[in-house]
Amino acid sequence: MGKYIVHSTLRPAGTQVMNRTGSHSYIADEPIVARGTDAGPNPVQYLLGAVGSCMSVTARDIENDEANLTIKKFQVDVSGETTHYQDGSSKVTNIDIKITAETNLSPADHQFFLNEVVRKCTVHESLIGSIPMTINFV
């Protein structure tokens, strides 16, 4: 079991938020059209990046555990759509995930590997049931 802590502090400039976790710091912001300063990705972009990053890290973890697996290429492209409601709220209503991967595995083993990446990805598994997601393997 892991426990993660992120401290988020609103800065005085636009919608900038300084996030700190461990020895890392990163800014989240909104684009200028949304009254931000565009100093960093917005929170939805971080969410989508978390999906792609988690799948990529999971792929590497599987490769490290499997002596007969070599990943030649692994890329995840994630897009998302938001819906804005009349009461001023909004939410991510759809996520599309495209995984492009090349390995040294047979086609059947390659497909099994991709399915394992999706199954073992913590962020994907955490979002299942909350946000409809489409996954395409290239």
Side-chain angles (χ1 to χ4, degrees):
M1 182 169 98
K3 182 174 183 177
Y4 302 91
I5 299 171
V6 177
H7 303 280
S8 302
T9 304
L10 184 63
R11 298 177 71 184
T15 59
Q16 289 183 17
V17 177
M18 179 55 69
N19 298 285
R20 290 183 305 105
T21 183
S23 63
H24 306 287
S25 296
Y26 56 97
I27 288 180
D29 199 358
E30 290 289 341
I32 293 170
V33 297
R35 297 187 215 155
T37 62
D38 205 23
N42 71 31
V44 172
Q45 290 168 318
Y46 274 114
L47 175 69
L48 300 177
V51 173
S53 297
C54 187
M55 288 191 173
S56 298
V57 167
T58 301
R60 180 67 75 215
D61 287 344
I62 293 170
E63 180 186 39
N64 288 339
D65 290 341
E66 298 294 329
N68 66 335
L69 169 60
T70 301
I71 296 174
K72 299 174 185 176
K73 177 181 180 179
F74 196 89
Q75 179 177 322
V76 184
D77 297 306
V78 184
S79 62
E81 296 177 16
T82 58
T83 299
H84 298 272
Y85 301 101
Q86 288 183 338
D87 67 358
S89 66
S90 64
K91 69 183 257 182
V92 177
T93 51
N94 186 55
I95 295 177
D96 289 313
I97 303 162
K98 180 177 86 171
I99 301 174
T100 305
E102 295 175 16
T103 66
N104 64 325
L105 301 174
S106 69
D109 288 341
H110 181 79
Q111 188 60 52
F112 181 80
F113 161 71
L114 293 174
N115 291 337
E116 283 296 282
V117 167
V118 172
R119 185 183 73 79
K120 291 182 175 182
C121 173
T122 303
V123 175
H124 174 266
E125 288 298 301
S126 298
L127 296 175
I128 287 179
S130 299
I131 304 171
M133 291 179 274
T134 305
I135 301 174
N136 292 300
F137 301 119
V138 179

